[in-house]
Amino acid sequence: MENNGVITINNLVKRFPVGGDFFTALKNIDLTLNKGEFTGMIGPSGSGKTTLLNIIGGLDSPTEGQVSVLGQALNDTSHGERARLRRKHMGFIFQSYNLLPVYTVFENVELPLILNKIDKDERRSMVEQAIESVGLTDKMDSRPNMLSGGECQRTAIARAIVHQPALVLADEPTANLDAENSHHIMKILSNLNQELSTSFIFATHDEKIMAYLRRIIHLDDGEITEDEIIDNPKAHD
Amino acid sequence: MLLKIALKNLLGARLRTFLNILVTAFSFFLILFMSAMYDGMLQHAKQVTMDTEIAGGAYWHPEYDPMDPMTFEDAHSALPTEVETLVDEKKAFPVLVSQASIYPGGRIMPAIMKGIPPGQNIVNMPTDALFGYEEITLPVLIGKGMASDTKLEVGDAFTIRWLDADRTYDANEGTVVHIMDTENFKLDIGHIWIPLNKAQTMLAMEGEATYVTYEKGVPPVLDKGDWIPRDINYLVQDMEAIIEADKPGAQVMYLILLALAAMGIFNAQVLSIFRRGREIGTLMAIGMTRPRVVGLFTLEGGLNAVLAAVATLIFFGPILWYFGEFGIPLPIDYTEMGMIMAKRLVPVYTIGLVVSTTILVSIIVLIVSYIPSRRIARMKPTDALRGKAAA
Ligand SMILES: Nc1ncnc2c1ncn2[C@@H]1O[C@H](COP(=O)(O)OP(=O)(O)OP(=O)(O)O)[C@@H](O)[C@H]1O
Ligand SMILES: [Mg+2]
């Protein structure tokens, strides 16, 4: 269904210039993701997961092929338009959190709303709600250097979802966390997915994440080798 | 919105911001201070010259050229009537200038001999020291610099030889009655001052003078004969020329200081962009456009300057004020170097100076903030996110 297509990728190839030559990081990628999916890309290190997420997020551009995200053909958009798409409709979660160190939890989470020019009162309630959903209300005024890894990642999640994006891209969100924190975070994310039907794509090789996924795309050496639909994720038992 | 974020970034990065600002504030301070010192020097030199030499202006004998002693021989005549009237009303005084040779301690030296009415109080010179020496044939007033050149002390007598109106050489013995401590080297170096009437008698130029200096506020006279009026503007010209000649030096200094300030900010800015690669990538991932990120970083640099201005006021303001109030003692006596310098130099802070310095520094800060920030526009967000800032 065209309307439900959050991401449509046709014949994607990504090559990086390396020295005088090229390295092919992604090839022959065809992929469709629908609204509300909770999908993971798994594969060994160097298989192209981050590269694919970056292209979907419009942070990087394909060498060949078409990528359409949330109804916009990324090939035809400018830097500014892609920035706008991210600002309005996407959230990013990084392995290394990437919080702004001089901002408090509240201010970090508030930033996307400021960029979206949401007025102050509405901003405050949205930020508080997002922070509450990740269980950090009591750390609202702390700076990242006073937080544990799990708390940092929860802050990053709050920042990624505060503007209620249609699509969240998460690159190894649990790689730096212990088992307990990983499960905690995956539960938060899968709740959000169910409540707001936000679409999620993870890049991961973490077994704990896989237990929550409803679709797993296997990448190897820049190619999709398998596309599994999981009707009954283990973690939901 | 950008302003708010920029401000938050700056205030959030406490130590980093503080150091950046301190460096900028220090250059700011130095620039202000140096310029104010220079202005203070100028003003002082002008003030001293007007006070001790120029007063309200002068009428010159048409032949008189102070730069050319050869003209002195012919530069004398009776005063034009109206000028004479001014003198009679004690609103002006005449001076008779001639060339002389003096023989202090057996040496021979050329000198400019000036006859001046001892009773004048139009310029600040201790001419009344020339009064009341009945037993001395020729009382002489000299400056400190001259005294040290000639090794003359108060009470010392020396021979003066001059060419009189009949072009015959004559000689007399002068006695130093006072050594004046003046800041105006032009009254000092190479000068001997004697009472006007003695000069007129010695030179056989009764009732004649070379120039007449009048006090401030005296309107121009109509009947000045062929004498040439020289107003204050004209008379400070040569002093201004000396100062102008000094200007390139001051400007180089100014430029060096500006360059230092600029380099400090440039460096801080480059460092900050390198170190904050991830932050830049994150801002782009969150959806900030590149021009806005460039704007943000430029603004942060610019705000540095604003905060630096405030910091200058807080940290260095008291120092600037103190010097402005009490001056800076100078260890060297510059009189002998042919400069008019106060014993305590007082910097002068004009509004113009502060405003122009602020504007100049701000423009430079904006430029050096913008140039490094511009490379952000060429940065790939994916590289930035990996902490790779170099484009
Ligand atoms: N900017 C780049 N220039 C050159 N090669 C690159 C660049 N970015 C990625 N690559 C290469 O592309 C391949 C895929 O990289 P990618 O980061 O997508 O892998 P990944 O699946 O995310 O691996 P990991 O699990 O280690 O994060 C790697 O071999 C990598 O070296
Ligand atoms: Mg990766």
Side-chain angles (χ1 to χ4, degrees), chain A residues 51-100:
Chain A
T51 306
L52 186 50
L53 275 191
N54 284 340
I55 289 174
I56 293 170
L59 294 173
D60 210 343
S61 45
T63 313
E64 287 171 23
Q66 279 78 46
V67 179
S68 162
V69 177
L70 299 165
Q72 288 219 33
L74 294 188
N75 308 55
D76 308 332
T77 54
S78 64
H79 275 293
E81 286 165 331
R82 290 200 291 276
R84 192 186 114 88
L85 188 66
R86 287 196 292 275
R87 181 163 75 229
K88 300 259 182 211
H89 305 297
M90 289 192 206
F92 278 84
I93 303 172
F94 307 93
Q95 174 180 344
S96 48
Y97 326 132
N98 284 0
L99 299 175
L100 304 188

Side-chain angles (χ1 to χ4, degrees), chain A residues 79 86-87 96 98 103 143, chain B residues 5 9 278 284 287 290:
Chain A
H79 275 293
R86 287 196 292 275
R87 181 163 75 229
S96 48
N98 284 0
Y103 286 20
R143 289 200 178 195
Chain B
I5 299 178
N9 281 345
R278 267 170 180 282
M284 289 178 176
R290 290 196 221 192

Side-chain angles (χ1 to χ4, degrees), chain A residues 16-18 23 25 43-52 95 171-172 205, chain B residues 380 382-383 386 388:
Chain A
F16 289 112
V18 178
F23 173 80
S45 182
S47 57
K49 306 181 292 291
T50 300
T51 306
L52 186 50
Q95 174 180 344
D171 194 355
E172 322 227 13
H205 27 223
Chain B
K380 293 178 78 178
T382 48
D383 287 338
R386 283 188 294 158
K388 247 179 67 182

